[in-house]
């Protein structure tokens, strides 16, 4: 599975830890940056990653900023993106089972390295359950077409 990952300066350290976890577990990883702790603007990095998911150049994405809110807002502007800001393992699982989320968003100020890895692992392992949830995703897609 090919994963794209991006962060702003506030999420940089956690991004590096998640990237290390992904590589150790044999995922193909593309990194959109940022590459340091210098202050930067989250939309630049969130857009690059979300665009790759939207265009199906990668299977899924992971975005990290200080709170996760900004990255969520950016990612969910793009067609076909279902970015989920997850603060715990259960939320990560449900975002996949019920919403078929294709981008995981983490808030570095609220999520420890260990918890972030556990959230990421659960999110990657969980499959979309389909059923009634597929009907709801079709409704989301219809709304997207109107906009």
């Amino acid at each position: 599975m090919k994963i794209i990952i991006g962060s702003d300066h506030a999420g940089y350290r956690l991004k590096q830890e998640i990237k290390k976890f992904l590589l150790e577990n044999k995922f193909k990883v593309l990194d959109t940056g940022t590459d340091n702790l210098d202050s930067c603007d989250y939309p630049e990095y969130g857009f690059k990653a979300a665009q790759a998911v939207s265009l199906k150049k990668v299977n899924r994405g992971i975005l990290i900023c200080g709170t996760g809110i900004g990255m969520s807002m950016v990612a969910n502007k793009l067609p076909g993106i279902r970015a989920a800001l997850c603060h715990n393992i259960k939320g990560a699982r449900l975002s996949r089972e019920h919403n078929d989320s294709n981008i995981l968003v983490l808030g570095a100020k609220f999520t420890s390295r260990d918890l972030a890895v556990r959230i990421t692992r659960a999110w990657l392992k969980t499959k979309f359950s389909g059923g009634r949830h597929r009907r709801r995703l079709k409704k989301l897609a219809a709304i997207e077409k109107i906009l």
Side-chain angles (χ1 to χ4, degrees):
M1 181 182 300
K2 192 183 290 186
I3 307 287
I4 195 160
I5 189 166
S7 74
D8 66 359
H9 58 282
Y12 172 74
R13 285 190 175 108
L14 185 57
K15 179 188 71 153
Q16 294 303 102
E17 294 293 330
I18 297 299
K19 185 176 169 181
K20 180 181 172 186
F21 163 78
L22 293 170
L23 292 169
E24 287 171 352
N25 285 277
K26 309 300 184 217
F27 288 94
K28 294 177 184 168
V29 180
L30 298 174
D31 187 341
T32 64
T34 189
D35 298 321
N36 56 56
L37 294 169
D38 295 344
S39 183
C40 63
D41 299 327
Y42 65 85
E44 179 181 343
Y45 302 99
F47 176 76
K48 287 178 191 176
Q51 184 178 44
V53 176
S54 178
L55 296 173
K56 301 188 184 323
K57 292 182 177 181
V58 295
N59 303 97
R60 294 194 206 164
I62 299 173
L63 295 172
I64 307 165
C65 65
T67 63
I69 296 168
M71 287 294 199
S72 295
M73 294 169 119
V74 170
N76 282 314
K77 297 272 185 202
L78 280 84
I81 296 300
R82 293 174 306 281
L85 173 57
C86 297
H87 296 291
N88 56 55
I89 295 165
K90 185 173 184 176
R93 283 188 186 128
L94 290 173
S95 81
R96 289 285 309 131
E97 287 177 5
H98 294 186
N99 310 108
D100 197 19
S101 62
N102 50 14
I103 294 182
L104 171 64
V105 184
L106 299 169
K109 293 181 180 182
F110 307 117
T111 313
S112 70
R113 182 244 178 239
D114 291 339
L115 178 57
V117 167
R118 293 194 326 262
I119 289 170
T120 301
R121 181 182 296 117
W123 184 77
L124 290 168
K125 287 184 176 185
T126 304
K127 298 194 182 323
F128 177 53
S129 64
R132 70 182 186 275
H133 304 294
R134 190 171 312 282
R135 180 181 74 241
R136 294 168 184 160
L137 291 184
K138 286 180 182 177
K139 290 180 180 185
L140 279 176
I143 292 168
E144 193 173 87
K145 287 180 183 176
I146 293 169
L147 301 174

